[in-house]
Amino acid sequence: MPTTPNPVADRTDRSVTVLRDLLSPEALDSVEWRRWHEPGRTGTAVHALYETADDQPATAQLIRFDPGAHGDLHEHLGYELMFVLQGELLNDNGDRYGVGDLVIEEPGSVHRISTETGCTLLGIREAPVVPTN
């Protein structure tokens, strides 16, 4: 006799985080932001979503850049995905990304991002980055 997959009682046996309506300013303003301090970076705050405990941890975070802010110059050891939720993001090669744009940096790529007007991103890294000079 067939069994019912995924019975209702088992559906709550999981850990899940839900952030609703992330394209609205109110939703993004409601998360807890902490300032991101590191050499070569100015005017940024983050809200951590997760970090794995691997030798090369993967991370996901919301990142908020103040107007005029920039990240550090860095090399990617793994893929990085950036999804623009608010504002405009500038890449040091001259590319400009707006709301709804998805950017994937490949392993070995080197770049520095900034914003003139401010922006908020969803950023996912499968491995750490290495600062470069």
Side-chain angles (χ1 to χ4, degrees):
M1 175 170 204
T3 61
T4 304
N6 206 11
V8 173
D10 292 340
R11 294 170 74 179
T12 60
D13 294 341
R14 62 191 178 105
S15 295
V16 62
T17 299
V18 176
L19 300 175
R20 297 195 185 275
D21 198 21
L22 279 182
L23 296 177
S24 80
E26 297 81 17
L28 288 170
D29 287 343
S30 72
V31 300
E32 184 177 327
W33 295 96
R34 70 170 177 79
R35 295 311 280 176
W36 188 353
H37 299 284
E38 77 180 26
R41 180 175 298 279
T42 64
T44 55
V46 295
H47 174 80
L49 299 170
Y50 69 78
E51 181 173 341
T52 64
D54 303 336
D55 290 340
Q56 291 195 355
T59 59
Q61 53 196 356
L62 299 174
I63 308 163
R64 179 168 275 177
F65 287 79
D66 298 337
H70 62 79
D72 62 336
L73 182 65
H74 59 270
E75 177 181 356
H76 290 271
L77 300 180
Y79 285 94
E80 175 182 61
L81 178 145
M82 295 177 289
F83 183 72
V84 181
L85 300 168
Q86 292 178 329
E88 183 180 56
L89 177 68
L90 308 175
N91 213 332
D92 61 356
N93 68 355
D95 289 344
R96 292 177 174 266
Y97 312 112
V99 174
D101 288 346
L102 177 71
V103 181
I104 299 172
E105 293 281 344
E106 295 187 11
S109 65
V110 177
H111 75 136
R112 179 179 180 181
I113 56 175
S114 63
T115 181
E116 295 167 351
T117 60
C119 67
T120 305
L121 313 173
L122 166 63
I124 300 171
R125 290 179 176 165
E126 71 173 23
V129 297
V130 178
T132 61
N133 294 327

